[in-house]
Amino acid sequence: MAAPATEHVRNIVLVGQDGAGKTSLAEAMLHVSGRTPRMGTTHDGKSYLDYDEEEIRRKFTIGTSIAPVPYKDYKINLLDTSGHPDFVGDTLACMQAAEMALFVVDAVAGPQVMTTKLWREAEDMRLSRAVFINHIDRENADFDTAMALLHARFGSRLGPVTIPIGVDADFKGVIDVIRMKARYFDQDGTTDERVEDIPSEYADAASAARDKLCDLVAEADDELMMKYLDGEEQLTQEELERLLDQAIAQELFIPVFVGSTIIEQGVKGLMEDICTYFPHPRHHGRFRLANGEETFVDEEGEPAAFVFKTVSDPFVGRLSFLKVISGVLEPGMELINARTRKKDRLGHLYVMMGKETTDVKSAKAGDIIVVPKLSDTRAGDTLSKSGDVAIDPLPLPVPQYPVAIEAVNKKDEDKLGTFLARAIENDPTLRVSRSEETHQTVVTAMGEAQVETLLARLKEQTGVEARLVPVRVPYRETICKVAEAQGRHKKQTGGAGQFGDCWLRLEPNRGEGYEFIDEIVGGKIPRGFLPAIDKGVQDAMAEGFLAGYPMVDIKVAVYDGSYHAVDSNEMAFKTAARIGFRAACEKANPILLEPMANLDVTVGEEYAGAVMGDISTRRGRIVGTDSNDAGETVIMVRVPYAEVVSYTKDLRAITRGSGSYTIELEGYEPAPADVTKKLVEAYQAARAAGN
């Protein structure tokens, strides 16, 4: 496929709920265009685009694939994205590379949760939008009901440009409202289409759809709109077609197509309208720069490209997905990374279809290309000849689902670490951290499916088996009253022994941390041993007293003691201090402190009551409620962190996947007696078992 001119490129991101048929639409377009010899299918593992082992096993898209569809002298770059909430980060990143979002909606289920979420994201990005109502041949499919649901959810600017000829088992073709013709696609191996007059029984429905289309499209021309409203004239065919692309690009009109990808009805007409009326990169390809300015796709500018996705392929190595912003890219060209200021050489340029790569000699502004083996390039980077172009990447959702991971075989810990480092390069919504306090490697993800996929790929690519263990909540311990105790350590071994003796007073020091005070008078303990006493106390605090958690907010004074001129040393006083501290703790009413979280939960009004009820069962306190611009309820909560560590899973269950939240740890509060008892018993059992 030769490098197309910018105005002959269409970058379309396919978005919507899992199961609506995004991948099957892309597969149908590839087949109808002649790009593939057969229709790829997901359910039997024979998809060209869902080729990953996990995608085949799960039967849904995980990572975005590219389907370059040739149509006449156009190139349609389809970005087939995941509709699963755990992989929404990849979907959002790829939406930034497109000029048009084509929402695929199931004719029976209608627009669902992820469709609505991604619609709002597309609005925020100022992406033009279109809808393809799929599966109109399914049992219980109803076009009018599907349109009513779309209007209720997304407003009145949506209008059909195709309507079905029959529904359910009677569906056999579509009416092209723009050209007022009936179109039938015959699956006879010719990949051809019959265009005929509209059947008489559909004439009224087609005329009503045409009137709705003209009403919306006329807004793209103020002068024509005034005449149209005054009833002076109707839009001519020429005026309609002239204004249609403007209305779509200006988001005045959102076209709705209908069809069935499995039997490939409504697909060829969709491709024709994409090339004829959908915005091309130069018309709608605006990018916000890091300095706040905007830039547009420009064939004449310096070579520059935005990296919207990276993948580490086990066979090819690192692959970088680039949207060419300006100029022309060619193999051998050196570009500067705006983030690192380092040069990177473009060894090869690939056009990808699923996992299949094809070398190309150049890529022009507006096109999407894949480049292998860029050394230090990651998603969100900008490469340019000067290094002065820096596209501002979209902020991605923050993961809130932490799990602790460890290799089954301790010898594989290094391999696990290397794999995780590569995984966070491929998926920017993953976070990996190592807690020195709990000695756990914690992966924070978007949800369970993302974690399960991570573990499966770990085993498949490295042979390492890993397991998940509960995340250790960072509890703390402290004391509630003043107490004193002696710490005395004496050991005689025949030669020089060990002797340390100190009296300690412990006081609560809430909110002030640890404080060590020297109250020794008269040289009862030489000054040189005081740092050892301080160190012994801090070591004992780090070990905890009740359940093995670090102790905080304690003021410790050493006020008396004794020493031996020969047997006293730093080690002896350090040991004595540990003994004295634990003895005083026993009398100081030690308690467990639990970390608290501030949680802002955003849900639809219909779920607010259920969420508030659930929060109360988790010992949470409702601080307040508010509403956002989308009409959703925002519930502000103060809750023990241990109760909401894995809240992602539970909130999705309560709200059918529509809820979201942000969480911030802030402060500690005394833990209830039952929580303390449970943790103390677990700690004692672990010590008894030698752990």
Side-chain angles (χ1 to χ4, degrees):
M1 189 184 296
T6 299
E7 59 269 21
H8 281 190
V9 172
R10 299 292 182 272
N11 297 309
I12 313 295
V13 60
L14 300 177
V15 286
Q17 194 81 23
D18 271 338
K22 298 183 298 296
T23 301
S24 64
L25 176 57
E27 298 277 8
M29 290 172 71
L30 284 168
H31 180 231
V32 170
S33 71
R35 179 67 176 80
T36 56
R38 60 171 175 80
M39 168 79 176
T41 50
T42 302
H43 68 275
D44 59 2
K46 294 181 179 179
S47 168
Y48 289 101
L49 302 176
D50 283 354
Y51 57 87
D52 180 85
E53 289 296 327
E54 277 300 290
E55 291 177 322
I56 294 171
R57 185 173 72 84
R58 292 176 177 272
K59 294 182 170 53
F60 65 74
T61 301
I62 291 174
T64 301
S65 288
I66 300 180
V69 178
Y71 185 77
K72 298 181 179 177
D73 56 350
Y74 289 84
K75 179 189 179 189
I76 306 171
N77 288 317
L78 294 177
L79 298 170
D80 177 33
T81 68
S82 177
H84 194 289
D86 284 10
F87 306 102
V88 70
D90 186 68
T91 298
L92 293 176
C94 292
M95 286 172 73
Q96 195 175 10
E99 287 80 50
M100 188 84 178
L102 179 55
F103 286 80
V104 183
V105 174
D106 183 83
V108 179
Q112 296 171 274
V113 170
M114 281 301 293
T115 308
T116 303
K117 284 187 173 183
L118 292 170
W119 188 278
R120 290 176 186 156
E121 294 289 349
E123 280 184 317
D124 291 342
M125 294 182 198
R126 298 300 306 274
L127 271 180
S128 297
R129 277 149 283 144
V131 178
F132 184 84
I133 299 176
N134 194 20
H135 304 146
I136 198 67
D137 56 336
R138 279 188 176 174
E139 186 178 358
N140 299 320
D142 186 289
F143 179 71
D144 291 337
T145 300
M147 281 302 305
L149 289 171
L150 287 168
H151 282 142
R153 190 71 58 87
F154 304 129
S156 60
R157 293 202 173 276
L158 285 81
V161 291
T162 58
I163 59 176
I165 301 174
V167 293
D168 204 322
D170 296 327
F171 174 67
K172 54 182 176 289
V174 300
I175 293 171
D176 181 342
V177 177
I178 299 172
R179 301 165 188 85
M180 293 299 279
K181 291 290 183 180
R183 307 178 77 141
Y184 307 89
F185 188 82
D186 296 324
Q187 290 182 299
D188 57 2
T190 64
T191 63
D192 209 352
E193 189 178 45
R194 290 184 290 116
V195 180
E196 300 177 358
D197 290 337
I198 297 172
S200 58
E201 64 268 31
Y202 290 97
D204 289 345
S207 180
R210 171 81 173 202
D211 289 344
K212 168 75 171 178
L213 175 61
C214 290
D215 288 347
L216 293 169
V217 169
E219 294 186 39
D221 186 305
D222 291 340
E223 184 178 343
L224 193 59
M225 180 64 180
M226 293 305 299
K227 293 180 180 180
Y228 184 74
L229 290 175
D230 291 340
E232 293 181 19
E233 57 183 59
Q234 297 294 312
L235 290 187
T236 65
Q237 183 69 21
E238 180 184 350
E239 288 169 339
L240 174 63
E241 296 197 27
R242 176 174 60 82
L243 294 177
L244 194 54
D245 61 344
Q246 297 177 43
I248 293 172
Q250 294 171 30
E251 303 167 61
L252 297 172
F253 172 61
I254 299 171
V256 179
F257 300 82
V258 67
S260 173
T261 55
I262 300 302
I263 60 174
E264 300 179 326
Q265 293 287 355
V267 174
K268 191 163 188 177
L270 170 64
M271 295 193 313
E272 185 171 326
D273 286 349
I274 285 174
C275 296
T276 308
Y277 304 115
F278 282 20
H280 64 71
R282 195 171 61 246
H283 275 180
H284 203 62
R286 54 181 167 237
F287 288 85
R288 182 172 294 279
L289 298 173
N291 62 10
E293 298 177 0
E294 285 188 341
T295 188
F296 292 80
V297 170
D298 177 16
E299 307 98 304
E300 304 302 323
E302 68 165 304
F306 176 67
V307 183
F308 63 91
K309 177 182 173 71
T310 60
V311 172
S312 289
D313 187 280
F315 304 104
V316 183
R318 182 198 293 255
L319 296 173
S320 299
F321 291 61
L322 277 62
K323 168 74 173 282
V324 186
I325 304 301
S326 58
V328 179
L329 301 190
E330 296 176 341
M333 183 177 285
E334 282 193 340
L335 300 178
I336 299 172
N337 188 317
R339 176 180 57 86
T340 65
R341 307 306 303 171
K342 294 180 180 177
K343 287 185 177 180
D344 248 323
R345 184 176 177 275
L346 308 182
H348 293 270
L349 303 183
Y350 293 150
V351 168
M352 284 194 77
M353 186 194 74
K355 64 180 177 181
E356 173 192 303
T357 60
T358 304
D359 273 285
V360 293
K361 295 181 179 179
S362 65
K364 297 178 181 177
D367 206 354
I368 288 174
I369 208 75
V370 178
V371 179
K373 301 177 182 177
L374 295 179
S375 58
D376 187 23
T377 300
R378 62 191 187 201
D381 285 350
T382 307
L383 306 174
S384 66
K385 197 71 174 177
S386 66
D388 296 333
V389 182
I391 303 295
D392 190 17
L394 289 173
L396 295 179
V398 178
Q400 306 283 12
Y401 185 76
V403 294
I405 185 172
E406 61 184 25
V408 172
N409 187 335
K410 293 297 181 185
K411 294 180 181 178
D412 291 331
E413 287 291 341
D414 287 344
K415 287 184 181 178
L416 172 62
T418 301
F419 173 83
L420 291 177
R422 191 168 67 243
I424 60 177
E425 290 182 4
N426 292 344
D427 190 341
T429 61
L430 279 174
R431 304 280 190 275
V432 177
S433 60
R434 176 73 183 175
S435 171
E436 295 305 321
E437 177 185 330
T438 63
H439 306 293
Q440 289 183 316
T441 296
V442 177
V443 173
T444 307
M446 298 296 293
E448 279 186 298
Q450 192 179 22
V451 173
E452 291 169 0
T453 300
L454 185 74
L455 293 178
R457 286 177 172 165
L458 170 67
K459 186 175 180 180
E460 176 192 341
Q461 296 177 16
T462 68
V464 173
E465 285 197 51
R467 60 184 166 221
L468 303 180
V469 295
V471 174
R472 196 166 187 232
V473 176
Y475 291 96
R476 295 288 185 266
E477 299 176 19
T478 193
I479 59 172
C480 294
K481 66 179 185 179
V482 178
E484 298 176 348
Q486 180 185 24
R488 182 179 173 87
H489 173 63
K490 183 177 181 180
K491 186 176 182 181
Q492 195 68 41
T493 57
Q498 290 189 19
F499 180 83
D501 175 30
C502 60
W503 281 86
L504 303 178
R505 182 176 65 253
L506 277 56
E507 299 177 31
N509 200 29
R510 185 60 56 89
E512 299 298 326
Y514 168 67
E515 191 175 345
F516 182 76
I517 301 173
D518 169 19
E519 295 183 0
I520 296 295
V521 294
K524 292 184 176 181
I525 299 175
R527 300 290 177 197
F529 293 139
L530 292 179
I533 297 173
D534 184 6
K535 184 65 168 62
V537 168
Q538 292 191 54
D539 286 351
M541 288 179 64
E543 292 175 2
F545 181 79
L546 288 172
Y549 294 98
M551 303 191 75
V552 296
D553 295 345
I554 300 176
K555 183 185 295 185
V556 179
V558 54
Y559 63 91
D560 201 356
S562 60
Y563 74 101
H564 189 278
V566 176
D567 293 346
S568 288
N569 55 41
E570 290 183 356
M571 183 59 69
F573 271 99
K574 183 178 176 182
T575 304
R578 291 165 63 97
I579 295 169
F581 180 84
R582 294 190 65 83
C585 268
E586 197 163 353
K587 299 183 285 184
N589 189 18
I591 62 169
L592 195 72
L593 299 172
E594 60 182 357
M596 301 299 292
N598 293 331
L599 201 68
D600 286 355
V601 187
T602 303
V603 295
E605 186 179 350
E606 66 271 27
Y607 299 115
V611 169
M612 289 182 185
D614 177 68
I615 288 295
S616 68
T617 67
R618 300 170 185 268
R619 300 186 286 120
R621 303 190 299 272
I622 307 298
V623 177
T625 60
D626 201 353
S627 60
N628 61 17
D629 293 339
E632 297 171 309
T633 301
V634 181
I635 306 167
M636 290 154 276
V637 178
R638 176 82 169 165
V639 63
Y641 177 63
E643 299 286 347
V644 289
V645 170
S646 302
Y647 196 51
T648 297
K649 177 181 176 182
D650 299 323
L651 183 63
R652 283 181 184 172
I654 295 170
T655 64
R656 298 184 179 180
S658 63
S660 62
Y661 69 98
T662 60
I663 187 170
E664 181 181 11
L665 268 64
E666 184 181 315
Y668 283 79
E669 294 181 10
D674 60 329
V675 173
T676 300
K677 181 181 178 183
K678 181 180 178 181
L679 291 170
V680 169
E681 288 176 350
Y683 173 65
Q684 291 173 345
R687 292 194 66 182
N691 297 330

